[in-house]
Amino acid sequence: MNTAIKTAIETRTSTTRYQPGLALPESSIRELVQLATRAPSAYNLQNWKFVAVRSPAGKARLHDLAYQQRQVLDAAVTFIVCGTLQAHIRLAQHLQPSVDAGILPASVQQSWTAMASAAHDGNPQLQRDEALRSASLAAMTLMLAAQGMGLASGAMSGFDAAGVRQAFALAADEQPVMLITVGQAAAGNWPQKRRRPLQEVLAFA
């Protein structure tokens, strides 16, 4: 196994305490999201969106909507990770670069587009399920990317999703799934907490 990847997984912690007043350059924020979009998604739907909240005003708005959790103010940036609904409508467009690069045959593009439309059209539950799956995979990829860049991160599910959608002008088909804080860790964070024994969570079939 690649030792760098193993180390990143084994040493990543859920950070809640950050050094306040530090900023990330826009280039680093762009790189984090670029890496996050390497996560997999069904049919390569790429049904996600990221809002990088880094301005004092944006942080203040999000802090109120995240039940005044301090890390939103202190982290360099908090990403609102969204899953997008009705992504099947844009699937052909999202697959076109892979067709142009010779990675995907046009026949597969057409087949996947037809299958996704048949499954997702008129099925809001499936659209939501896929949006949650894709956004969660992208969020974990973003956190590992942050770890690889020497940054701390933490996932947050405690926030007012409807309020976030309104306050940050998200579209009706953009579902806020989680917040990811990123920055430089301050003292006082817990180390990675112990996990359940492997025999309790692994079965062979």
Side-chain angles (χ1 to χ4, degrees), residues 148-170:
M149 293 169 62
L151 298 167
S153 65
M156 300 172 61
S157 58
F159 63 95
D160 177 354
V164 165
R165 180 185 287 109
Q166 180 177 7
F168 291 90
L170 299 176

Side-chain angles (χ1 to χ4, degrees), residues 197-204:
L198 193 60
Q199 64 267 23
E200 291 185 7
V201 298
L202 173 65
F204 292 95

Side-chain angles (χ1 to χ4, degrees), residues 17-99:
R17 298 183 181 185
Y18 291 91
Q19 298 178 37
L22 300 180
L24 276 183
E26 184 172 319
S27 59
S28 296
I29 293 173
R30 289 182 177 277
E31 184 176 11
L32 284 169
V33 173
Q34 182 66 56
L35 291 169
T37 63
R38 298 300 182 103
S41 58
Y43 300 108
N44 199 31
L45 282 166
Q46 303 174 69
N47 45 339
W48 42 51
K49 180 178 178 176
F50 306 82
V51 180
V53 181
R54 59 176 182 164
S55 69
K59 288 182 177 184
R61 270 183 289 153
L62 188 57
H63 178 245
D64 287 341
L65 293 165
Y67 312 124
Q68 291 79 48
Q69 295 180 79
R70 181 73 198 184
Q71 59 265 46
V72 171
L73 296 178
D74 291 343
V77 58
T78 298
F79 294 95
I80 305 170
V81 183
C82 304
T84 53
L85 310 175
Q86 302 189 74
H88 61 286
I89 295 173
R90 298 174 292 278
L91 179 57
Q93 173 189 342
H94 293 167
L95 292 176
Q96 190 59 47
S98 294
V99 175

